[in-house]
Amino acid sequence: MHTLLMVLLIIMALALIVVVLLQSGKSAGLSGAISGGAEQLFGKQKARGMDLVLHRVTIVLSVLFFVLALAITKF
């Protein structure tokens, strides 16, 4: 059981890394790093298309990763 959970955890970790790397950057350069976060936090911009799909997949994978990590500590 422990081996199966470890294999699933490694697969989830690799999938999460790939999905995060596939996402586009929100802003470029130093000026975007300073002001871009505030625009995203308080702005009304919504993700569209592939960005939205990648965002949702990232959330699902991160929750699964967290649940698997907690499950490994129980077994």
Side-chain angles (χ1 to χ4, degrees):
M1 183 70 175
H2 187 268
T3 307
L4 176 67
L5 290 176
M6 284 298 290
V7 169
L8 287 174
L9 185 69
I10 291 170
I11 291 171
M12 287 296 136
L14 292 174
L16 189 59
I17 289 169
V18 168
V19 169
V20 168
L21 289 176
L22 283 175
Q23 293 180 7
S24 62
K26 299 296 181 197
S27 57
L30 184 59
S31 63
I34 294 171
S35 66
E39 291 172 5
Q40 285 294 329
L41 183 61
F42 299 113
K44 300 257 185 228
Q45 296 178 346
K46 300 276 186 182
R48 300 277 185 235
M50 191 57 131
D51 287 335
L52 181 62
V53 172
L54 288 174
H55 177 72
R56 289 183 179 166
V57 170
T58 303
I59 291 172
V60 170
L61 287 176
S62 61
V63 168
L64 288 174
F65 179 82
F66 186 70
V67 169
L68 281 173
L70 288 176
I72 286 176
T73 62
K74 299 288 183 184
F75 294 108

